[in-house]
C-alpha cells in the first residue's frame, strides 16, 4: 500500500524505537533487476556494503521519504510512496517476500519490499542530493505540514504568490508543500469545501484558513489512526483511516448533501469531488 507522509512518519517513529542502536550483520537483495531497470534501485549495489557492521544512529522522515542514518555517514533511503511494505521481525526464520533484507547482530530483521513505484538507495551524506526523492522531500525551502514551522501565516503567504490551480500548488514537484499526494489532495479539498479548480491566489482569508485546517486535520487523523486502511505498519498492524473523498467514493453520494460524487480529470490525474459542497 502507498506510503505517504503520515505512513512514512509512523514507520520512521517506530523504527526509531526499534532499530536505533542496532548493528547490521548482513544484508540480502532479491529480485531487484526490474527495480534497477526502472530506476528504483541503483545499478551499482556495492553501496549497500557500507551498511555492514554499522550502527543505526537515527531514523527520520520528511514528506514521503524515510532516512535511516548510520554511524559512518551512510544513509538508507526508503521511499515506497506508491506501494511498499517495511516490516520488523524478531523471528528471523519467518519473513515475507522482500527486495531488501537487513539482519541485525541481535538476530532481528528488517525487510523492505516495493510493490509499486518507489526507491531503495544507500547514499553517503554528501551524495544525498543525488536522490530525487530525498532532494524533493527533504528540501527545507518547502513547508512540511506536520512540522511546527507550518503555521497559517507562512502557508497563507506562500499561497498568495501562486496564480495557479490548487492542485499544482499543493501536489507534485512545484508544490509549496511536501507530502501531499493526489489522493490526499482530494480528501483535503472536500473537507475544506473547495473546488479543485480554484486558484490559490484567489482564495479569501476564510477559505485559506479552511484549507490550512483541512491539511492539518487529514494528516493528523491519518497518523492518529495508524495510517490509511490498507497500510501495514512496521509490526504488520493495519491502519484504519478512510479518506472522506477519493476513489473510494466512486459512484457514491456525498454524506453531507446527498449529491452524486463527480470525477474530474485534472493535472494528469483524476479528482473526485462533491459539486455542491465544493465551490
Ligand atoms: Zn456535498
Amino acid at each position: 500500500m502507498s506510503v505517504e507522509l503520515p505512513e512514512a512518519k509512523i514507520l520512521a517513529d517506530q523504527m526509531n524505537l526499534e532499530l536505533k542502536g542496532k548493528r547490521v550483520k548482513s544484508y540480502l537483495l532479491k529480485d531487484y533487476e526490474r527495480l534497477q531497470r526502472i530506476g528504483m534501485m541503483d545499478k551499482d549495489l556495492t553501496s549497500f556494503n557500507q551498511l555492514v557492521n554499522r550502527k543505526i544512529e537515527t531514523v527520520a522522515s520528511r514528506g514521503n521519504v524515510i532516512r535511516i542514518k548510520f554511524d559512518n555517514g551512510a544513509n538508507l533511503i526508503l521511499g515506497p510512496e506508491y506501494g511498499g511494505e517495511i516490516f520488523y521481525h524478531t523471528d528471523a526464520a519467518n519473513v515475507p517476500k522482500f527486495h531488501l533484507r537487513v539482519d541485525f547482530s541481535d538476530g532481528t530483521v528488517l525487510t523492505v519490499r516495493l510493490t509499486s513505484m518507489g526507491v531503495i538507495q544507500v547514499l553517503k551524506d554528501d551524495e544525498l542530493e543525488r536522490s530525487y526523492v530525498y532532494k524533493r522531500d527533504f528540501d527545507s525551502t518547502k513547508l512540511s505540514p506536520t512540522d511546527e514551522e507550518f503555521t497559517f501565516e507562512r502557508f497563507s503567504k506562500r499561497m498568495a504568490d501562486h496564480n495557479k490551480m490548487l492542485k499544482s500548488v499543493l501536489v507534485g514537484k512545484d508544490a509549496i508543500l511536501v507530502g501531499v499526494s493526489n489522493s490526499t489532495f482530494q480528501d483535503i479539498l472536500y473537507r475544506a469545501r473547495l473546488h479543485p479548480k480554484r486558484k490559490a491566489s484567489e482564495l479569501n482569508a476564510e477559505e485559506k484558513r479552511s484549507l490550512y485546517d483541512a491539511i492539518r486535520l487529514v494528516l493528523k487523523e491519518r497518523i492518529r489512526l495508524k495510517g490509511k486502511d490498507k497500510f501495514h505498519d512496521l509490526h504488520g498492524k493495519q491502519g484504519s483511516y478512510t479518506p472522506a473523498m477519493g476513489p473510494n467514493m466512486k459512484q457514491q453520494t456525498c454524506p453531507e448533501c446527498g449529491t452524486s460524487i463527480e470525477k474530474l480529470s485534472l493535472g494528469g490525474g483524476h479528482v473526485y469531488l462533491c459539486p455542491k459542497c465544493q465551490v
Side-chain angles (χ1 to χ4, degrees), residues 190 193 245 253-261 273-278:
Y190 175 71
R193 302 177 80 88
M245 185 55 66
T253 54
C254 171
E256 291 284 326
C257 72
T259 305
S260 295
I261 298 304
L273 73 145
C274 171
K276 196 173 169 197
C277 292
Q278 295 177 251

Side-chain angles (χ1 to χ4, degrees), residues 23-27 51-54 102-107:
R23 195 172 285 279
V24 174
K25 194 176 83 184
S26 60
Y27 73 89
L51 307 184
V52 179
N53 285 323
R54 304 322 311 189
V102 179
D103 281 73
F104 298 103
S105 57
D106 64 359

Side-chain angles (χ1 to χ4, degrees), residues 23-90:
R23 195 172 285 279
V24 174
K25 194 176 83 184
S26 60
Y27 73 89
L28 188 60
L29 294 162
K30 248 186 173 174
D31 308 321
Y32 49 80
E33 294 80 4
R34 193 187 67 89
L35 302 187
Q36 286 179 308
R37 262 201 316 274
I38 52 180
M40 288 152 68
M41 232 158 156
D42 285 337
K43 292 271 183 298
D44 177 14
L45 296 173
T46 56
S47 57
F48 283 83
N49 292 336
Q50 297 177 82
L51 307 184
V52 179
N53 285 323
R54 304 322 311 189
K55 212 157 86 177
I56 292 180
E57 267 185 354
T58 178
V59 185
S61 73
R62 199 169 193 273
N64 305 343
V65 179
I66 299 166
R67 175 190 185 183
I68 305 176
K69 193 171 163 42
F70 290 81
D71 63 355
N72 59 340
N75 301 275
L76 174 59
I77 300 296
L78 302 174
E81 48 191 357
Y82 290 98
E85 290 163 341
I86 302 176
F87 296 131
Y88 172 69
H89 315 272
T90 49

Side-chain angles (χ1 to χ4, degrees), residues 42-177:
D42 285 337
K43 292 271 183 298
D44 177 14
L45 296 173
T46 56
S47 57
F48 283 83
N49 292 336
Q50 297 177 82
L51 307 184
V52 179
N53 285 323
R54 304 322 311 189
K55 212 157 86 177
I56 292 180
E57 267 185 354
T58 178
V59 185
S61 73
R62 199 169 193 273
N64 305 343
V65 179
I66 299 166
R67 175 190 185 183
I68 305 176
K69 193 171 163 42
F70 290 81
D71 63 355
N72 59 340
N75 301 275
L76 174 59
I77 300 296
L78 302 174
E81 48 191 357
Y82 290 98
E85 290 163 341
I86 302 176
F87 296 131
Y88 172 69
H89 315 272
T90 49
D91 179 4
N94 192 13
V95 306
K97 273 172 93 176
F98 60 85
H99 289 119
L100 168 66
R101 169 183 175 140
V102 179
D103 281 73
F104 298 103
S105 57
D106 64 359
T108 60
V109 179
L110 179 77
T111 56
V112 181
R113 182 168 165 248
L114 298 178
T115 54
S116 184
M117 293 300 285
V119 160
I120 305 177
Q121 272 182 309
V122 173
L123 295 164
K124 287 201 186 93
D125 286 339
D126 60 7
E127 298 170 332
L128 283 168
E129 294 294 303
R130 251 183 53 204
S131 164
Y132 166 72
V133 293
Y134 178 87
K135 218 168 121 177
R136 183 196 64 196
D137 286 5
F138 277 78
D139 177 353
S140 57
T141 65
K142 292 192 176 188
L143 299 167
S144 170
T146 45
D147 283 357
E148 275 177 24
E149 77 214 22
F150 182 63
T151 60
F152 176 64
E153 289 66 33
R154 284 208 177 97
F155 173 69
S156 182
K157 220 174 138 219
R158 300 261 179 117
M159 290 279 289
D161 298 338
H162 289 276
N163 187 27
K164 285 187 284 188
M165 273 195 277
L166 287 173
K167 188 172 168 185
S168 63
V169 177
L170 300 178
V171 185
K173 64 177 175 49
D174 299 321
I176 59 169
L177 296 174

